[in-house]
Amino acid sequence: MAEQTAPPVIRDGTPTKPDAAVVRDALGVGVAVGLSGFAFGVTSAGSGLSVLQTCVLSLLVFTGASQFALVGALAAGGNPFTAAAGAFFLGTRNAFYGLRLSQLLALPKAVRPFAAHWVIDETTAVALAQPSRRAARIGFTVTGLTLYVLWNATTLLGALGAEAIGDTAAWGLDAAGPAVFLALLAPMLKSATERATAGIAVLLGLGLLPVLPAGVPVLAAALAAPLVLWFQGRRMGPAGREKDSR
């Protein structure tokens, strides 16, 4: 029988990490990532979106990787529907984050619809790193608030300053968002399955980039997960044990 591990127990008692330390860590993540909203504002304006459209994207969508995927596909001449579909499927990971955080944070029902808007990579990473429910709530709230304010403020500044900067491709600003996303994702890839899935996704996305329309490689990269699961199923016997290769 496959070994199972029990989920971590979150206690509501005295936290093992001081509130000030949680706030400090959350602010560090929020400020560092929030400033990259400037790069999104510049990239979005450079792809043809107006300042208003750019700001509305950050206010209502508020998930950097999906926003960069959308404007990047549009800048490459991709179909708007394909670009939107790629951004949508990339953003569905936040739904899985929400399932994990709902049990961890245990927020009141009246607060959950508002908190759901802040369920992104950074807030999830900070919340999951905390040793108690109180610390997780503080980390989630401080990271979400800091990021939301800074991301939207710097998005506006970037969109307004796009004309002064000129060609965004020459500056490489369009790579800032994905780079931050990968930097946060990499430490979370602890198992061989997770690393294999990420590696295959990268290979699919980059390999299909020259031959498929803009936005489609992102969708194709999602096939990495079922491929890895299928391969694992082939290796495991009916009882859940790895097949003997002899």
Side-chain angles (χ1 to χ4, degrees), residues 22 26 38 40 42 48-49 53 56 59 74 79 92 94 99 103 105 112 133 159 165 169 179 199 212 214 239:
V22 179
F38 182 85
F40 170 73
V42 173
L49 271 67
Q53 290 171 326
V56 168
L59 285 168
L74 292 176
N79 183 286
T92 55
N94 295 336
L99 293 175
Q103 183 179 11
L105 301 177
R112 291 177 187 177
R133 176 168 287 132
I165 292 178
L212 291 179

Side-chain angles (χ1 to χ4, degrees), residues 60-110:
L60 300 182
V61 178
F62 187 54
T63 172
S66 296
Q67 292 178 230
F68 272 103
L70 175 64
V71 299
L74 292 176
N79 183 286
F81 294 102
T82 304
F88 171 79
F89 282 106
L90 188 58
T92 55
R93 71 192 186 281
N94 295 336
F96 296 98
Y97 293 161
L99 293 175
R100 180 77 179 274
L101 290 178
S102 63
Q103 183 179 11
L104 172 64
L105 301 177
L107 297 172
K109 291 183 178 180

Side-chain angles (χ1 to χ4, degrees), residues 4 13 20 22 53 92 143 146 149 155-156 178 193 232 238:
Q4 296 181 352
V22 179
Q53 290 171 326
T92 55
T143 306
T146 306
V149 172
T155 291
L156 174 61
T193 300
Q232 277 193 327

Side-chain angles (χ1 to χ4, degrees), residues 73 82-83 86 204-205 208-209 212-222:
T82 304
L204 284 173
L208 297 174
L209 195 61
L212 291 179
V216 177
V218 175
L219 301 177

Side-chain angles (χ1 to χ4, degrees), residues 227-238 241-244:
L227 282 174
V228 171
L229 291 176
W230 175 83
F231 181 74
Q232 277 193 327
R234 296 278 295 177
R235 292 182 59 191
M236 305 297 288
R241 298 188 181 92
E242 187 172 351
K243 290 182 180 179
D244 193 346

